[in-house]
Amino acid sequence: MSLKNILFCLIISLSCQLGDLFISYFKRLNNVKDAGTILPGHGGLLDRIDGIIFAIPTIFILIVIQIY
């Protein structure tokens, strides 16, 4: 595995965590525990995909500017 691949994985992992924290921050500001009722007990569907919300654009940007 090359250094480029490791850095790519680390950047995507970081962006997923930031997406999760970002959405959680706004939920806490609005005193919302669950973002929906589709997946009860899991915080709603948004809590399942909130990391992806930041990861997909990050992947796209990294590929378009050809870092990866």
Side-chain angles (χ1 to χ4, degrees):
M1 193 177 246
S2 72
L3 181 61
K4 255 187 173 179
N5 290 341
I6 293 170
L7 289 175
F8 182 77
C9 291
L10 287 174
I11 291 169
I12 299 306
S13 178
L14 178 65
S15 70
C16 282
Q17 291 298 317
L18 288 174
D20 185 31
L21 291 172
F22 186 75
I23 298 298
S24 295
Y25 172 73
F26 281 109
K27 282 176 44 181
R28 288 177 196 264
L29 280 179
N30 294 304
N31 295 322
V32 175
K33 181 165 175 65
D34 292 340
T37 57
I38 293 176
L39 295 171
H42 290 273
L45 187 61
L46 181 61
D47 277 351
R48 298 293 106 196
I49 64 166
D50 54 6
I52 297 172
I53 292 172
F54 275 34
I56 297 293
T58 304
I59 292 169
F60 179 75
I61 290 168
L62 290 175
I63 290 174
V64 165
I65 64 174
Q66 295 188 3
I67 287 177
Y68 179 71

